[in-house]
Amino acid sequence: MNFEERIRCDRIKNKVMSAEEAASLIKDGMTIGTSGFVTGGPKAVPLAIAERYKNEKIKLNLYTGAIVGDELDGAFAREGLVDKRIPYQTNKDMRNAINNGSVKFIDMHLSHMPQQIRYGFLGKIDFAIIEATAITEDGNIIPTMSVGNSPTFVSTADKVIVEINTSQPIELEGMHDIYEPKDPPYREPIPITKVSDRIGVPYIPCDSDKIAAVVFSDMKDTTLQLTSINETSKKISDYLIDFLQTEIKRGRLPKTFLPLQSGVGNVANAVLAGFIELKYNNLNLYSEVIQDAVLDLIDADKIEKVSGTALTLSEEGLKRFYANINKYKEKIILRPQEISNNPEVIRRLGVISINTAIEVDIYGNVNSTHILGTKMMNGIGGSADFTRNAYISIFATPSTAKDDNISCIVPMVSHVDHTEHDVMVVVTEQGLADLRGLSPKERAMMIIKNCAHPDYKDALMNYYERSIKKHGAVQTPNLLDEAFLWHTRCLNTGNMKI
Amino acid sequence: MNFEERIRCDRIKNKVMSAEEAASLIKDGMTIGTSGFVTGGPKAVPLAIAERYKNEKIKLNLYTGAIVGDELDGAFAREGLVDKRIPYQTNKDMRNAINNGSVKFIDMHLSHMPQQIRYGFLGKIDFAIIEATAITEDGNIIPTMSVGNSPTFVSTADKVIVEINTSQPIELEGMHDIYEPKDPPYREPIPITKVSDRIGVPYIPCDSDKIAAVVFSDMKDTTLQLTSINETSKKISDYLIDFLQTEIKRGRLPKTFLPLQSGVGNVANAVLAGFIELKYNNLNLYSEVIQDAVLDLIDADKIEKVSGTALTLSEEGLKRFYANINKYKEKIILRPQEISNNPEVIRRLGVISINTAIEVDIYGNVNSTHILGTKMMNGIGGSADFTRNAYISIFATPSTAKDDNISCIVPMVSHVDHTEHDVMVVVTEQGLADLRGLSPKERAMMIIKNCAHPDYKDALMNYYERSIKKHGAVQTPNLLDEAFLWHTRCLNTGNMKI
Ligand SMILES: CC(C)(COP(=O)(O)OP(=O)(O)OC[C@H]1O[C@@H](n2cnc3c(N)ncnc32)[C@H](O)[C@@H]1OP(=O)(O)O)[C@@H](O)C(=O)NCCC(=O)NCCS
Ligand SMILES: CC(C)(COP(=O)(O)OP(=O)(O)OC[C@H]1O[C@@H](n2cnc3c(N)ncnc32)[C@H](O)[C@@H]1OP(=O)(O)O)[C@@H](O)C(=O)NCCC(=O)NCCS
């Protein structure tokens, strides 16, 4: 490791300390804002904080980009250190703490969070804890595999702790494009008109006086486990690609295609993988996360440019990325989530959004966050930033969960995250429903017919028909006294079927 | 009437005809896109269409800006002429037709509609029917009291019928600012950085060859009835203004204030009227509709600039406006609804949005559209365009409806138009709940305590507490089997109380 290359700012060389020493700066009641968006979160410092305070049970507010590793969410949750948690998580122990009431979780649109921090709506950030590749001559911070909310945490925090991760290659430098908008009434248009536009600087600006500690670490991110593409994902991908091709033929999508966004997980990865077969060789992605399939597309020379806020690769993907870093770097721009998820840019570029739903109802409302109406799964993440502003907004889900005991198409979703006004296309392994320009009753027919699993089709139609019998052909036929009967049955028996 | 001043384009003088002749151009199965956003809709031509086809019962798709007069929605609905209706309406007969299934109503975000028309998602527009003040030398159209979707209807329609309304003063010319964005991948930033920025031309560009008919009329818009400000509205307004003042004191709103948006109706008007008392004299509005209170604010010299897509004045307001048209015109810009409601501009300017809810639930989800879960009221309109992108998003509603028989604060809203992720402040005549940075359970306590009517407070708390007893302190405690019990009781007895 070349120390000089990792800390280039002389003024802060005396701030190098152990993770334990840095952890002692954190005090009860503080709000900490950390880097991390699946990848790129600090690890050594959080573990040291958890260790130091495990018997004292202090309370901290934990703000991140999105998902952070077990070193942060898991360790903090297990030690009971968290009061407020914003904005997204997937850790088992953190999720339990949220659903037993010990952690207050605020489930926010990812693009809303940084501006609400600057506006002062979420309190003061005491410490930003940021994983870095290096610190520049002026004290600016070069992030690692994600950007997330780090620019705003750094610009608003009282003090900054930098965790330099020497397991990250120095070549990451130059991949990031950091731009923080001014606040109203001084905000200017965000000057991105093409996915490839760089509008900022390749580091997170940081006043070196703010840096309270620099800690060296070489801990690796926990990588995502991508299962090989299964039959369900493949069918969903096939329906979707066929749909998009037809849209081009019908002249409703430009022949050159439009930038794609695709969410986290296997289905999303499978859909992108499907593009390998196609003839496009100038694909652009304007996305939040960048998964393995993107490397395949780059290798197959299909990609013009990929913009996101995080590289979220599998173990195997990561190896490929490191082995050919300069080639991939040329194609990739990592931006703050305020920019990757920005409504202004998403609508301007005409992004086609593909996200995963927990459940969808017959009128096209989508639940992305709650299991059976009450328990938090992960959070809304950026799904609504993209969905509301997409050129075409798509939700994909298998038609059932838990060995067909749960239908993901239901009479009424038990929590609404995306309304009927926002959802254009629903696709399952059964088929695709194009809801554009359809009234609710037309949507119901199409979703039941095209997307529902055969085990649930008749029951859905029965609900719909009895709703009309009771209320007439109103705008949105529903039986309010049994809208959630399937969910309550499932709560009692583990099965939505009678 | 000076004919030459109203039609300045020689090429189309031979297109002048009667409303009846123009009506005969419209054929079964056509889609017509009309001007009109509360005000400014065509009147003579629609009445002639309704008259001509009353026995033939042809079917048309009717697309408008938003609300149109009884000459259009009422007459068409009564004659059964409408197949598909987009995007917003308030007419009694149209509403009945929607809720008995004879009209297919697509309830869309107002800012989504014009781009979805250009993208080809809503079919082809056969005829645009546009109310005008005058036609320019080149055939371009000067609108009247609203802009709405007219630019997109004109640019995409096969043919255009212009209804020149001679009851509208020629001085309206110059008040409009027409800008239609290009579509992806060619769209550019919308260059508005201040409410007062003019970015387009003062007329709707129109190829004169497209003009199939010019009809003269002098029919007046039905004006809105504003009741005098009642005690409930006054209390809501007081709570809101106190809240906004406190935000400035706490440094969370700029001292110079930010642009306001306020919805249609009495509460919205009362809130704006409340600003008369304040010391600001550079208020800006970036809104959809412009109501009477704005004239008061202009008269009191409190206004820098007002931007909207429609002037929606009462009878009395309209008289005042005409009497002093040049003074008011200087302060007002009317834009296409794609621009007045544009997420990009709303977020950039930091608009404070104030809209009215039908009902709000204890977690902050808002229903703006459905009565008791099934029947369409008006539509979502622009409320979500503003809410999602606002600097502070506010929903106001009286705490009860129908002589206290209905609580507007409920355990779970019977339809979700604005999710818990989007709603920052809820205010009723009982008080105000500031939900920013609160988790769902904290929100529930605050909404029940501050906003619910005393008649319903205990029952709401009881629902909340029993939900926790059943499921534990999960993210969002709910009893799915009785979430809508109040609504079904009301359907049966007309009353939500036991
Ligand atoms: C919705 C979301 C949870 C789906 O995740 P996923 O991993 O793709 O989906 P899976 O099908 O593997 O389902 C995840 C789990 O939920 C369960 N599940 C899925 N649908 C369910 C339903 N309707 N009811 C109950 N459980 C359900 C699955 O069985 C699975 O359980 P397991 O972990 O015990 O096996 C995830 O995409 C998400 O958090 N989305 C919101 C944020 C977002 O969209 N981010 C991307 C934006 S840019
Ligand atoms: C929500 C909305 C319907 C409220 O309208 P309003 O005229 O301000 O509200 P009111 O309190 O006068 O209520 C209107 C009617 O609904 C009834 N109502 C209100 N709340 C109700 C409830 N919870 N359940 C049943 N009926 C209810 C009222 O009693 C009243 O009935 P009436 O016409 O028979 O007297 C209206 O603001 C709307 O359409 N909003 C959506 C679009 C929008 O926000 N546009 C502005 C965006 S820029």
Side-chain angles (χ1 to χ4, degrees), chain B residues 11 13 16 60 98 114 126 134 163 177 202 237 251 270 289 311 347 355 378 389 428 432 483:
Chain B
R11 284 191 304 285
K13 283 184 179 155
V16 175
L60 303 171
I98 288 168
D126 296 291
E163 182 171 322
D177 183 51
S237 166
V289 294
L311 274 164
R347 195 176 284 218
N355 289 291
N378 306 330
N389 298 292
T428 70
L432 182 144

Side-chain angles (χ1 to χ4, degrees), chain B residues 437-455:
Chain B
L438 297 189
S439 63
K441 294 190 288 288
E442 294 171 291
R443 280 182 233 144
M445 295 309 294
M446 185 159 289
I447 291 175
I448 297 173
K449 195 164 142 273
N450 294 7
C451 301
H453 189 276
D455 288 2

Side-chain angles (χ1 to χ4, degrees), chain B residues 139-141 150-151 154-155 178-180 201-207 210:
Chain B
N140 300 317
I141 300 167
S150 299
V154 169
S155 73
I178 311 299
Y179 173 98
E180 205 181 7
V201 292
Y203 50 75
I204 298 169
C206 182
D207 174 353
K210 266 198 187 182

Side-chain angles (χ1 to χ4, degrees), chain A residues 88 261 288 355-356 358 371 377-380 383 401-402 406:
Chain A
Y88 188 82
Q261 174 262 337
E288 190 183 279
N355 289 292
T356 315
I358 289 177
I371 300 295
M377 180 78 181
N378 305 330
I380 191 165
S383 54
K402 310 286 175 203
I406 291 181

Side-chain angles (χ1 to χ4, degrees), chain A residues 60-103:
Chain A
L60 304 171
N61 297 321
L62 175 59
Y63 299 180
T64 66
I67 302 175
V68 286
D70 190 70
E71 310 84 13
L72 196 41
D73 260 342
F76 276 34
R78 286 189 294 275
E79 303 305 340
L81 299 184
V82 180
D83 183 33
K84 197 176 279 185
R85 177 74 179 91
I86 318 183
Y88 188 82
Q89 55 71 46
T90 57
N91 182 276
K92 187 168 63 63
D93 293 312
M94 182 55 79
R95 188 185 287 144
N96 284 340
I98 288 168
N99 286 315
N100 70 24
S102 57
V103 168

Side-chain angles (χ1 to χ4, degrees), chain B residues 310-330:
Chain B
L311 274 164
T312 57
L313 302 171
S314 70
E315 180 95 39
E316 193 269 81
L318 207 55
K319 280 200 200 117
R320 276 167 74 190
F321 176 77
Y322 287 144
N324 247 315
I325 190 162
N326 286 318
K327 165 181 164 187
Y328 293 121
K329 207 173 104 177
E330 209 177 283

